[in-house]
């Protein structure tokens, strides 16, 4: 029982324990993670420049940072080819691919609910000040 009480006390002071999915949200839903993973999933192994072109609005610095973090998190595999000039390719890992059902579910939710979200925003914005 003391262990349960300690855990309950910890969840009230540590937001990470209060919501166990917060770590997943932090990893998967960072600003550029979703477009990077989606692009690698849809188009397969790619070089840095190909990935940057497909995403479009991401800067090289941010793409580099996100790819490093995704590699560290096990979502992306980086392959270095010691050629002249050197070639580096990125691909989504099996762990990254395992997120596909989550993204499919979110896409389904978006298709069914984003119009309701937009309506709620419009209603909120047109109501008198609160």
């Amino acid at each position: 029982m003391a262990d349960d009480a300690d855990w309950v006390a910890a969840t009230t002071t540590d937001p990470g324990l209060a919501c166990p999915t917060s770590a997943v949200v932090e990893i998967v839903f960072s600003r550029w993670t979703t477009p990077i993973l989606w692009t690698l999933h849809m188009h397969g192994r790619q070089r840095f420049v190909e990935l940057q072109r497909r995403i479009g609005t991401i800067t090289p610095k941010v793409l580099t940072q996100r790819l490093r973090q995704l590699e560290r998190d096990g979502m992306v595999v980086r392959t270095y080819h010691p050629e002249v000039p050197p070639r580096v390719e990125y691909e989504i890992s099996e762990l990254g691919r395992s997120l596909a059902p989550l993204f499919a579910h979110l896409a389904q939710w978006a298709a069914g609910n984003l119009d309701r979200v937009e309506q709620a925003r419009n209603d909120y914005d047109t109501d008198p000040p609160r």
Side-chain angles (χ1 to χ4, degrees):
M1 277 304 204
D3 290 337
D4 289 343
D6 291 341
W7 184 83
V8 170
T11 62
T12 61
T13 58
D14 184 350
L17 293 176
C19 180
T21 62
S22 62
V24 175
V25 170
E26 186 178 322
I27 292 167
V28 177
F29 297 108
S30 295
R31 170 70 172 100
W32 292 105
T33 298
T34 306
I36 291 168
L37 291 177
W38 182 85
T39 302
L40 290 172
H41 182 73
M42 294 302 294
H43 300 283
R45 182 181 299 158
Q46 297 175 61
R47 295 177 75 169
F48 184 91
V49 174
E50 295 171 310
L51 187 56
Q52 184 183 9
R53 279 190 203 126
R54 284 204 164 101
I55 295 173
T57 56
I58 192 168
T59 65
K61 177 183 175 183
V62 171
L63 181 56
T64 298
Q65 291 170 342
R66 292 309 309 149
L67 284 169
R68 284 183 183 156
Q69 186 63 49
L70 288 168
E71 182 182 8
R72 182 174 182 255
D73 292 338
M75 303 291 163
V76 168
V77 175
R78 178 183 183 269
T79 304
Y80 174 79
H81 301 277
E83 305 169 346
V84 179
R87 181 170 49 104
V88 177
E89 295 176 319
Y90 298 91
E91 62 185 309
I92 192 167
S93 69
E94 284 301 316
L95 182 60
R97 275 191 201 89
S98 72
L99 293 169
L102 173 65
F103 287 132
H105 186 73
L106 287 171
Q108 182 181 12
W109 184 90
N113 292 292
L114 282 183
D115 57 335
R116 294 172 57 198
V117 171
E118 189 59 35
Q119 183 60 51
R121 288 175 178 171
N122 288 335
D123 293 348
Y124 183 90
D125 292 346
T126 57
D127 275 351
R130 299 183 196 314

